[in-house]
């Protein structure tokens, strides 16, 4: 994020709990501002959809640094999470 505009049209910061969705889930912006629950092990966060992730696979998401850190240390790199719309 770094204060840049996401595909949903508003700026976000690395400290925000925000997420980018694959085009399959972004749906041309229809899911902008929706919240998703994300779980990794025993950790859970609520993140807001603010962007499109064109390089993501169908069910992949791209979390902001802060949202990622709410689930695991960033040294983990890519991780398998469960997520759903809330």
């Amino acid at each position: 994020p770094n204060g840049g505009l996401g595909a949903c049209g508003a700026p976000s910061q690395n400290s925000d709990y925000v997420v980018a969705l694959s085009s399959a889930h972004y749906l041309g912006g229809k899911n902008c501002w929706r919240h998703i629950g994300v779980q990794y092990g025993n950790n859970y966060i609520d993140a807001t959809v603010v962007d499109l992730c064109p390089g993501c696979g169908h069910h992949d998401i791209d979390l902001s640094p802060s949202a990622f850190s709410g689930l695991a240390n960033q040294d983990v790199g890519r991780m398998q999470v469960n997520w759903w719309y809330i």
Side-chain angles (χ1 to χ4, degrees), residues 36-46 61 63 71 79-84:
I36 66 168
V38 185
Q39 185 170 5
Y40 180 70
N42 292 328
N43 297 323
Y44 169 85
I45 62 161
D46 174 333
I61 58 175
L63 295 166
L71 297 170
M79 60 187 176
Q80 183 76 33
V81 299
N82 293 313
W83 69 271
W84 57 92

Side-chain angles (χ1 to χ4, degrees), residues 54-69:
C56 286
H58 187 82
H59 294 295
D60 293 347
I61 58 175
D62 187 12
L63 295 166
S64 65
S66 185
F68 191 104
S69 294

Side-chain angles (χ1 to χ4, degrees), residues 2-84:
N2 285 328
L5 289 179
C8 293
S12 58
Q13 301 297 326
N14 289 345
S15 58
D16 297 335
Y17 275 38
V18 293
V19 62
L21 298 180
S22 70
S23 58
H25 288 279
Y26 183 74
L27 297 176
K30 290 180 181 168
N31 283 319
C32 283
W33 316 119
R34 285 190 72 181
H35 287 248
I36 66 168
V38 185
Q39 185 170 5
Y40 180 70
N42 292 328
N43 297 323
Y44 169 85
I45 62 161
D46 174 333
T48 305
V49 176
V50 299
D51 206 357
L52 168 66
C53 179
C56 286
H58 187 82
H59 294 295
D60 293 347
I61 58 175
D62 187 12
L63 295 166
S64 65
S66 185
F68 191 104
S69 294
L71 297 170
N73 187 300
Q74 290 189 26
D75 293 340
V76 170
R78 291 180 61 108
M79 60 187 176
Q80 183 76 33
V81 299
N82 293 313
W83 69 271
W84 57 92

